Amino acid sequence: MPDKPTIPANFTTEQVFNITRAIAGRVGYQAVIDAVSDEIQGILPHNHIDVVILDKNKENLVAYETGIQTEWGGINRKSVSSSPIRDILLGKVEHLITPNAMQDPRFTITSMFNKPIHDHQLRSRVHVQVRVAGELIGALSISSVKPDIYTITHVANAKLLSDLIGPYFFALWQSELVRVTEINRVKESARLEGLRTGARYVTDELESARAQIGMDLHDQTLADLSRIQRRLGSIDHLDADDIEALKEDLGCCLLDLRQIVDDAKPTVLEMFGLTAAVGARLERQIQTTRMPVAIKLVDQSNGCIDDLPFKMRITIYRILQEAGNNALRHSGCTKINVVFQSNGSDAKIIFSDNGRGYQQEDFASCGGLLNMKIRASLIGAEVTFSRPGKSAELTLNYHADQ
């Protein structure tokens, strides 16, 4: 068996400075672990690093990873009870170390989410708590495909790394808790205000519609017009084909603007239902992109999807509109499937395509994906996404009793 790597007992001062410089100014969990990965390779050799962060009630977690991409990653929440390192997350032990997780009974329990370990041959593993001011907020895990390479010295270095990055994660963790608390406070305040006065409710609804139109104009029409303006900046150098292309772009922009105006009513949704409205919208999007894409809409609710409140249906419509934009503009797909399920109070909608799938940068930038999650949260629904590397699938779940 080859000798285990020889590493310093502790980080040197220069190494600590390199790590702190690497993470300085980073504003997201993913950005922090990406920044430290290269810096620690000589001290903590690895093929995979992940940091899991607990939610406010410390019952669920979100994992952020770098190196090998696994099913642990992404922005979907998972239960602490199903985590293979639940003993750390529950505060029962301070660290775990294994020479071969694929043979270690602690990591082979069938009821736990161990599949990524075996899928990616993550043999050697070391795990430590992430604590700030004594509060347990998550765990740092470092893995290698080589067996039996970590020692207790690696555990000490992992703990020191955890102490270095912990304050950054704590600040981000607190910001997330404040954001969630503020969203809940605003939602409750709006609900009570609506009960007090119908007039105020109408005003809020009109303001929400105005904000929605502004968002659509900003995300779609304004972006297209800005692109056209940039091309017009060099109009003296444009030939006839370029000018014709500009005319076509402007026509598409006008078509989108007409659609935004129509969506503000929205006529198709009111007259023909959600399934028909989503189908019509996707057809128009395909026309503007000139891509041969097949659409399959399946209403498994037997029409009950249209028994949902109108505010619910219009929000679902907007989320699927954004999903269609992402699929047609970025995925290179040739098929889009949308499945509607509902009993009139609860709902589940699945949007999938056969394109390139979500990329890690899609989650890191948090643009359109975060936009869809925010829209869903405002109606008490939840949106989840398939992990990077797999075919893209968006699932929206709404339960009336939540």
Side-chain angles (χ1 to χ4, degrees), residues 30 33-34 48-50 63-70 72-73:
Q30 187 66 51
I33 63 171
D34 285 342
H48 178 266
I49 297 177
D50 71 74
Y64 301 87
E65 60 183 356
T66 189
I68 295 174
Q69 301 300 303
T70 77
W72 286 321

Side-chain angles (χ1 to χ4, degrees), residues 317-337:
Y317 174 81
R318 294 270 161 72
I319 291 172
L320 295 179
Q321 175 182 328
E322 180 71 25
N325 281 334
N326 288 344
L328 294 172
R329 292 183 179 180
H330 306 300
S331 76
C333 66
T334 58
K335 296 180 181 179
I336 291 177
N337 296 326

Side-chain angles (χ1 to χ4, degrees), residues 93-273:
V93 297
E94 292 187 354
H95 72 270
L96 292 173
I97 184 172
T98 179
N100 193 340
M102 297 180 67
Q103 301 173 357
D104 191 325
R106 294 173 298 181
F107 298 96
T108 56
I109 301 174
T110 56
S111 61
M112 299 296 106
F113 190 20
N114 296 310
K115 187 172 180 290
I117 292 175
H118 302 276
D119 286 348
H120 302 281
Q121 309 285 299
L122 299 178
R123 295 180 174 87
S124 295
R125 308 196 77 210
V126 60
H127 314 269
V128 297
Q129 296 177 341
V130 176
R131 284 185 177 272
V132 177
E135 184 172 6
L136 177 62
I137 67 169
L140 166 67
S141 300
I142 300 171
S143 305
S144 172
V145 298
K146 297 179 180 179
D148 197 22
I149 69 168
Y150 297 135
T151 68
I152 196 66
T153 305
H154 293 86
V155 173
N157 282 334
K159 286 183 176 179
L160 182 53
L161 176 62
S162 171
D163 290 340
L164 289 173
I165 66 177
Y168 284 86
F169 284 122
F170 183 75
L172 295 168
W173 188 64
Q174 288 294 317
S175 296
E176 176 66 12
L177 293 181
V178 169
R179 186 187 70 82
V180 171
T181 299
E182 181 63 16
I183 287 176
N184 291 335
R185 185 194 67 79
V186 171
K187 288 171 65 177
E188 179 65 13
S189 176
R191 186 185 70 84
L192 293 175
E193 189 69 17
L195 292 174
R196 292 189 187 103
T197 169
R200 177 66 178 273
Y201 176 81
V202 172
T203 301
D204 288 346
E205 287 298 294
L206 290 174
E207 180 64 19
S208 176
R210 184 198 65 80
Q212 177 60 55
I213 293 172
M215 183 183 297
D216 290 341
L217 288 172
H218 176 272
D219 293 348
Q220 187 166 302
T221 306
L222 184 59
D224 291 340
L225 288 174
S226 297
R227 176 170 48 80
I228 292 171
Q229 183 185 39
R230 288 193 297 271
R231 295 185 64 185
L232 286 173
S234 56
I235 192 170
D236 293 339
H237 304 287
L238 298 180
D239 57 24
D241 289 340
D242 292 329
I243 293 175
E244 188 63 29
L246 274 174
K247 290 180 180 179
E248 292 183 8
D249 285 346
L250 187 58
C252 290
C253 185
L254 289 172
L255 182 63
D256 287 339
L257 183 58
R258 291 190 186 98
Q259 182 57 43
I260 290 172
V261 174
D262 185 59
D263 286 346
K265 301 178 195 176
T267 306
V268 177
L269 182 60
E270 290 179 311
M271 295 181 62
F272 301 104

Side-chain angles (χ1 to χ4, degrees), residues 305-359:
I305 194 72
D306 290 311
D307 292 336
L308 294 170
F310 181 74
K311 183 176 180 180
M312 283 283 305
R313 286 180 285 131
I314 188 64
T315 301
I316 292 172
Y317 174 81
R318 294 270 161 72
I319 291 172
L320 295 179
Q321 175 182 328
E322 180 71 25
N325 281 334
N326 288 344
L328 294 172
R329 292 183 179 180
H330 306 300
S331 76
C333 66
T334 58
K335 296 180 181 179
I336 291 177
N337 296 326
V338 188
V339 178
F340 299 87
Q341 300 172 355
S342 177
N343 59 12
S345 57
D346 297 348
K348 181 177 182 179
I349 294 92
I350 304 171
F351 182 103
S352 59
D353 65 65
N354 66 341
R356 66 168 189 157
Y358 300 113
Q359 306 298 300

